[in-house]
């Protein structure tokens, strides 16, 4: 009887492109394009720049495009070692709150898996199919680790930082050709570096970018170390002094191997439509439904009660008066106010309108209450339920069972392309032509013999 | 009323060489020499080499000694960015189990504080007094964070990895001239990257070196980011989703500021005399007392009962049949067997004799039982108590109240020099002449205008 950690490691090591269903491959391509756009969306962020400066100062200097063994830092279009490229690109792709999310694990896979996988693929000259396979390995591992760690973990820990370290290790380990035992050692080294606390939310600090940067870089390092013979704990996840013992009170070891090889968790991943914390999306879509159905204007609204799961209260609850654009994306009130005013809550709406008096006035009319049905369904299903009280005394109910972007209500390739163009136009990180070229190349990744640069 | 985290940050930022008592300065010099020797002792370790290879592959290439802004990787005598020098030197200094320990916090300060502080001091050309002051800031912060996190934390987490990240951030932040608020941000970024689990002990994996490498590097990064304006949680230690909330059930916030500026925790730090886990030392010294007093030979011993604190059982308990030299340093039985056979348990004794049939036979005669007096006194005092049953039926008691190396039973400068020479001779990391030169220079650090290299 092998351990759950070993089975998961073996899966990540032995996965082959040919065994991944075509629909999952296609969805992984979509996730790659969506991730690339989320990196570009991070252009101009001070926090992302700080991590980029650090990577530049501490890493190799003046690498040319032709330098072997290097990878691209996408925003600066410079080259560095894969370690620092992964660090910088991971920081960049989580700041606009537009990167993907897996509901059941409350884990953002793209922002930790793709930075590490792309950087290593570029540096070793892997094929596009190898990159996709490595990404699927990373998604399948990270999602299961997130599910395993459970809801108690997520109350204090940012799962994308913690589970993300193992996800990055799995993807990089796959690209480096680790065998199952080496992969298990990589997991041990990754899990023992696993970190990320929600405390930063209280003051809207920059830690979210640091969490993804750390997860991608530490996971990558763990895989390289394992390749060199460096050993890690054999049961870092479920062992008596492992991650669950230290950081969870409701861990479920069965989740680690749930449907390995038959259930493709990668394809369960949701795209983000609104540009904010995923916990706001179900209620935002439910409010949009009420507004559309009853043709409400902002001034018609007296108050909005959102019926939510406990996780929403844990993460969004501390944000009462958001002081920055980034913090406003963790405000249920701000998100719903922007939806009521503009019909959607995109990057531009947050950037330009989160402190408008009209937004603040609406924001303060929104409350959250714990709802048993929503909370019980969570995190497998993210149900949105709102009760809207109008100034003329009506009480209107809204409900959505799958928010926009979920697998049953997903984005088409046209919508993903359009979102990518919107993000680039907003941030100025790439021109429309550059985005078109890059996105086309990324959708052809499965036919790419050697992964190179997507931005010149 | 400012938060405990802020007060600690302010102390680390505002500390000045002139306000540190001379006895504490002298002790810090001793700790620096002892740390330097512990790096040299790591020469030849495969795990340390792996981290060194990674740092070399991912960092700046072919730096010359004259390159500005760089630091020395001590074992390879090459230069890198301070980030990678800190990473490599931290990995090196924790493998021989000869680096210092602070009893009350069960925290090894030197191996995380000095690698980060020395690397940054070299790279910015700080003075020796600045380096010493930064080190004291790191010790005072790390020790208090370890005490704050408490015994529940240490059951699962390797405090040197977790508290060590903040200790390194404090030392580097001081050298970079952070103000109190920036230091608080550095603590936020460090604490949210804080990691290190004991699970690796079960299979004698290499994680201990990774923990110190990670703590030194992540702490250093946190300070550089703060200098650049990157923000962190304001109360990463005591906040409702901070370190204590996630990783401790008996955290005591009063410990964070206990005697700040009047109690010098740095000077409470113990040197290691035996070359193994500190939890074995009190019992080892107590056994030595019995053996000396009653002139026992190994074959006179029928069995040894060690009366220990719970922490010893938690850390040493899983190690029943040590399979490697490193794992044998976490075996109470092996340590006591070597003490009985050779009168001390040094690097050579572990390396050459941990699997001798005589050692194994004695090892298996040693047991641990929880002792209320010892456990209650711990971790402030590490009392050693043993009961020795002889083959001729005698029952002999041994007891030491301060194991060799503790502040009340400390090592003289001659003993520290001799230990440094022994470690270098064992590992071959430096010649006797090189050690003499380096140790002399390090003891003159307070008169050094610009910190440079100690090995050519």
């Amino acid at each position: 009887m092998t351990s759950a950690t070993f089975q998961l490691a073996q899966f990540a090591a032995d996965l082959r492109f040919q065994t991944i269903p075509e629909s999952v491959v296609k969805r992984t391509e979509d996730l790659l394009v969506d991730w690339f756009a989320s990196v570009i969306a991070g252009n101009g962020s001070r926090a992302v720049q700080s991590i980029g400066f650090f990577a530049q100062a501490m890493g190799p200097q003046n690498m040319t495009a032709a330098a072997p063994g290097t990878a691209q830092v996408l925003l600066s279009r410079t080259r560095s070692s894969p370690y620092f490229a992964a660090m910088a690109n991971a920081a960049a792709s989580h700041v606009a709150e537009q990167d993907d999310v897996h509901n059941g694990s409350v884990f953002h896979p793209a922002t930790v898996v793709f930075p590490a996988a792309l950087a290593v693929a570029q540096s070793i000259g892997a094929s596009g199919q190898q990159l996709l396979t490595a990404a699927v390995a990373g998604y399948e591992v990270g999602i299961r680790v997130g599910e395993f760690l459970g809801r108690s973990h997520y109350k204090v820990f940012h799962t994308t930082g913690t589970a993300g370290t193992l996800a990055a290790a799995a993807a990089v380990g796959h690209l480096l050709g680790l065998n199952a035992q080496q992969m298990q050692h990589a997991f041990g080294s990754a899990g023992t570096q696993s970190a990320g606390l929600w405390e930063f939310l209280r003051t809207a600090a920059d830690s979210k970018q640091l969490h993804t940067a750390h997860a991608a870089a530490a996971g990558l390092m763990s895989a390289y170390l394992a390749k060199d013979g460096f050993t890690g704990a054999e049961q870092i996840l479920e062992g008596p002094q492992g991650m669950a013992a230290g950081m969870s009170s409701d861990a479920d070891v069965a989740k680690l191997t749930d449907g390995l090889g038959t259930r493709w968790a990668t394809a369960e991943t949701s795209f983000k439509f609104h540009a904010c914390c995923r916990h706001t999306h179900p209620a935002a879509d439910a409010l949009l439904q009420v507004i559309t159905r009853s043709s409400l204007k902002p001034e018609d609204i007296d108050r909005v009660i959102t019926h939510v799961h406990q996780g929403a209260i844990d993460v969004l609850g501390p944000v009462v008066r958001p002081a920055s654009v980034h913090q406003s994306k963790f405000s249920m009130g701000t998100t719903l106010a922007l939806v009521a005013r503009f019909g959607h809550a995109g990057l531009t709406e947050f950037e330009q309108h989160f402190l408008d008096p009209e937004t603040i006035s609406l924001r303060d009319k929104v409350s959250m209450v714990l709802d048993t049905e929503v909370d019980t369904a969570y995190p497998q299903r993210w149900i949105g339920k709102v009760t809207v009280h109008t100034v003329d005394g009506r009480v209107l109910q809204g409900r959505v069972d799958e928010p926009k972007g979920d697998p049953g209500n997903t984005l088409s390739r046209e919508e993903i392309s359009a979102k990518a163009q919107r993000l680039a136009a907003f941030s100025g990180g790439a021109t429309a032509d550059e985005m078109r070229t890059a996105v086309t190349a990324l959708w052809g990744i499965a036919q790419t013999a050697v992964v190179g640069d997507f931005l010149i």
Side-chain angles (χ1 to χ4, degrees), chain A residues 52 78 80 104 184 210 237 248 279 300 327 332 353 359 399 403:
Chain A
T78 56
S80 186
Q184 188 177 18
L210 184 58
L237 290 156
S248 173
H279 290 298
D300 298 331
Q327 195 179 30
M332 180 67 94
H353 301 293
T359 303
R399 177 190 180 105

Side-chain angles (χ1 to χ4, degrees), chain A residues 100-225:
Chain A
D100 65 23
V101 60
H102 180 272
N103 289 346
S105 52
V106 203
F107 167 59
H108 299 278
T111 188
V112 288
V113 169
F114 282 119
L118 178 62
V120 174
Q122 289 178 336
S123 77
I124 67 173
S127 72
Q129 293 190 357
Q130 287 173 315
L131 170 59
L132 289 170
T133 310
V136 172
Y139 271 67
E140 298 293 323
V141 167
I143 289 167
R144 282 180 178 78
V145 171
E147 290 176 336
F148 159 75
L149 290 169
R151 294 179 67 166
S152 66
H153 178 74
Y154 189 76
K155 283 183 86 74
V156 181
F157 291 93
H158 181 200
T159 304
T160 301
T162 56
T165 315
L166 285 109
V172 174
H174 184 87
L175 282 168
L176 297 182
L178 301 188
N179 64 31
Q181 199 176 23
Q182 291 171 319
M183 186 69 84
Q184 188 177 18
H185 287 306
F187 286 5
S189 293
T192 208
Q193 295 184 83
S194 196
L197 294 158
W198 282 123
E199 183 61 25
F200 75 92
L201 281 180
R202 217 163 310 280
T203 49
D206 297 328
S207 309
K208 219 169 187 230
Q209 284 61 69
L210 184 58
H211 292 170
T212 55
H214 172 262
L220 180 150
M221 178 176 178
S222 301
Y224 274 84
L225 289 178

Side-chain angles (χ1 to χ4, degrees), chain A residues 237-454:
Chain A
L237 290 156
E238 73 279 44
Q241 288 168 305
M243 286 176 71
M247 305 193 277
S248 173
S249 58
D250 65 342
D252 178 358
V253 75
K255 303 275 193 189
L256 285 176
T257 54
D258 179 50
L260 260 187
T262 53
R263 168 197 163 206
W264 296 93
T266 307
E268 298 163 3
T269 306
S270 301
F271 299 96
K272 271 193 176 177
F273 186 62
H274 303 293
C276 47
C277 178
R278 187 68 178 171
H279 290 298
T280 65
H281 293 208
D285 286 356
L287 177 64
L288 207 53
Q289 183 190 69
V290 172
I291 287 174
T292 309
R293 202 172 50 203
S294 303
S295 305
L296 295 186
K297 296 194 180 66
E299 55 269 29
D300 298 331
I301 297 173
D302 180 58
R303 58 198 171 97
V304 181
I305 301 159
T306 65
H307 308 276
V308 299
H309 52 285
Q310 184 62 43
I313 293 171
D314 292 341
V315 174
L316 310 174
V319 184
V320 180
R321 284 187 188 79
S324 68
V325 174
H326 189 254
Q327 195 179 30
S328 75
K329 296 175 176 183
F330 291 83
S331 158
M332 180 67 94
T334 305
T335 303
L336 267 59
L338 295 173
V339 163
R341 293 185 64 202
F342 303 106
H344 63 287
L347 289 175
T348 308
E349 287 70 31
F350 278 101
E351 182 82 13
Q352 296 180 3
H353 301 293
F354 88 100
L355 275 185
D356 288 357
E358 298 87 340
T359 303
I360 291 175
S361 161
L362 275 165
R363 178 192 81 194
D364 294 341
K365 293 173 178 170
V366 176
S367 60
M368 289 189 283
V369 295
L370 183 65
D371 183 276
T372 307
E373 184 204 4
V374 173
D375 192 58
T376 307
Y378 175 90
Q380 277 65 43
R381 294 166 55 219
W382 293 46
I383 302 171
K385 281 164 76 172
V386 297
T387 302
V388 180
H389 294 258
T390 62
V391 290
D392 61 9
R394 283 174 292 164
V395 180
L396 308 169
Q397 308 288 345
R399 177 190 180 105
V400 295
D401 281 275
E402 289 208 75
K404 179 78 174 168
D406 264 17
N409 187 13
T410 194
L411 304 189
S412 66
R413 288 205 162 184
E414 290 67 33
E415 287 176 311
I416 293 168
S417 281
K419 175 182 163 187
Q421 287 291 358
R422 275 201 310 276
L423 296 188
F426 173 83
S427 77
T431 67
D433 270 356
E434 288 174 335
M435 286 304 281
R436 244 186 311 274
T437 305
V439 165
T440 303
L442 287 164
W443 259 317
I445 193 81
Q447 286 76 51
T448 303
V450 178
V451 174
D453 290 353
F454 296 94

Side-chain angles (χ1 to χ4, degrees), chain A residues 10-81:
Chain A
Q10 190 164 40
F11 172 83
D14 294 351
L15 185 64
R16 291 295 170 264
F17 184 77
Q18 288 71 23
T19 60
I20 306 170
E22 196 186 335
S23 61
V24 178
V25 171
K26 293 285 171 210
R27 180 56 57 91
T28 309
E29 292 165 359
D30 294 351
L31 296 166
L32 172 60
V33 171
D34 191 66
W35 167 74
F36 178 83
S38 74
V39 178
I40 302 302
N43 189 48
S45 153
R46 178 189 46 72
V48 173
Q49 283 169 350
S50 278
I51 291 174
F53 291 151
F54 181 78
Q56 201 166 21
M58 298 296 163
Q61 309 287 324
N62 309 316
M63 306 299 287
T64 65
T70 64
Q72 191 173 35
V73 179
L74 294 174
L75 286 177
S76 63
R77 305 190 191 189
T78 56
R79 297 193 79 82
S80 186
S81 65

